[in-house]
Amino acid sequence: AQSVAQPEDQVNVAEGNPLTVKCTYSVSGNPYLFWYVQYPNRGLQFLLKYITGDNLVKGSYGFEAEFNKSQTSFHLKKPSALVSDSALYFCAAYNFNKFYFGSGTKLNVKP
Amino acid sequence: SAVISQKPSRDICQRGTSLTIQCQVDSQVTMMFWYRQQPGQSLTLIATANQGSEATYESGFVIDKFPISRPNLTFSTLTVSNMSPEDSSIYLCSVGDRFQETQYFGPGTRLLVL
């Protein structure tokens, strides 16, 4: 079965520290990979995507993600976290006209 | 990216009633998608709606429970019929970009069924 896994329900980080939100996928072929963010009482906002090329993808709000084909991972990163980054983050994979979403990781950035 | 609005933004409904959720997009799109996000869970695709044809439902979702209309290229509705508390969820409308590579989401409709 095709799936996307986010192994951490919650990630806690202090403001100013680097953050990583993990994602691995089990989707056949060469899926496109995405990160979305959901703020409280809001819909999902597109952050970034990987289709092909450079394994490090840069996106909105200073976020970036690293694609690793051998580990089938697509971890979200930011060098210096902000309190305003606190939100729910979803990893997703797209292949054969279908999206597969991870279960979400709640990021808490403490001042 | 497309700008998507949904109405209502939230509602509290009684068991056995129905609610119709509207999704409006600021540009013409071929495919529109309806998702459900149950409390503390990820997104589950309910159906894909193409203009001028019947919606395609995912496993576990049926037209009688979630009828969908797609009268034109910028609008769609999802009805949650004969509601039960298990239908309490966030319902999200989304559209794909030109190449269907990226999906953009509406703000969601938060439904609570008592």
Side-chain angles (χ1 to χ4, degrees):
Chain A
Q2 317 279 348
S3 64
V4 173
Q6 293 180 241
E8 303 154 315
D9 291 335
Q10 186 167 299
V11 170
N12 299 311
V13 63
E15 187 174 31
N17 284 359
L19 70 87
T20 298
V21 182
K22 296 180 180 177
C23 171
T24 59
Y25 63 93
S26 177
V27 176
S28 57
N30 297 306
Y32 301 163
L33 301 167
F34 301 81
W35 276 100
Y36 288 86
V37 59
Q38 185 177 36
Y39 296 101
N41 300 314
R42 301 281 293 277
L44 273 71
Q45 296 180 30
F46 168 75
L47 269 183
L48 52 80
K49 68 180 177 185
Y50 172 84
I51 297 176
T52 188
D54 193 346
N55 289 344
L56 187 64
V57 179
K58 294 187 183 297
S60 306
Y61 313 120
F63 283 93
E64 56 190 26
E66 187 170 13
F67 170 66
N68 187 315
K69 186 170 185 176
S70 63
Q71 297 183 3
T72 61
S73 67
F74 190 56
H75 301 331
L76 181 70
K77 300 182 179 184
K78 188 173 183 180
S80 179
L82 300 173
V83 172
S84 57
D85 293 330
S86 298
L88 187 58
Y89 290 81
F90 289 97
C91 181
Y94 172 80
N95 205 13
F96 302 116
N97 295 320
K98 193 162 185 179
F99 270 84
Y100 304 90
F101 284 88
S103 55
T105 298
K106 185 177 181 182
L107 174 64
N108 294 315
V109 182
K110 299 184 179 181
Chain B
S1 63
V3 176
I4 305 169
S5 59
Q6 287 184 233
K7 290 182 180 179
S9 58
R10 59 179 66 238
D11 207 342
I12 301 173
C13 300
Q14 295 298 318
R15 180 195 300 262
T17 63
S18 297
L19 176 72
T20 295
I21 302 168
Q22 299 178 9
C23 177
Q24 180 76 52
V25 188
D26 69 342
S27 58
Q28 294 184 339
V29 293
T30 304
M31 298 171 70
M32 297 179 74
F33 307 87
W34 287 99
Y35 286 85
R36 182 174 71 183
Q37 184 183 13
Q38 294 183 301
Q41 296 188 27
S42 187
L43 282 73
T44 301
L45 181 64
I46 298 172
T48 302
N50 291 332
Q51 194 269 335
S53 63
E54 293 288 326
T56 302
Y57 289 83
E58 297 297 305
S59 176
F61 298 96
V62 296
I63 187 171
D64 290 345
K65 175 67 175 177
F66 297 102
I68 288 172
S69 77
R70 184 78 203 276
N72 58 53
L73 291 173
T74 63
F75 188 79
S76 177
T77 67
L78 169 76
T79 298
V80 186
S81 303
N82 188 25
M83 288 183 286
S84 67
E86 291 71 33
D87 294 319
S88 298
S89 191
I90 300 173
Y91 292 87
L92 294 154
C93 167
S94 79
V95 301
D97 65 4
R98 179 182 176 187
F99 301 104
Q100 304 301 327
E101 291 175 351
T102 303
Q103 285 205 344
Y104 298 98
F105 290 83
T109 295
R110 283 154 181 77
L111 171 62
L112 176 63
V113 184
L114 302 176

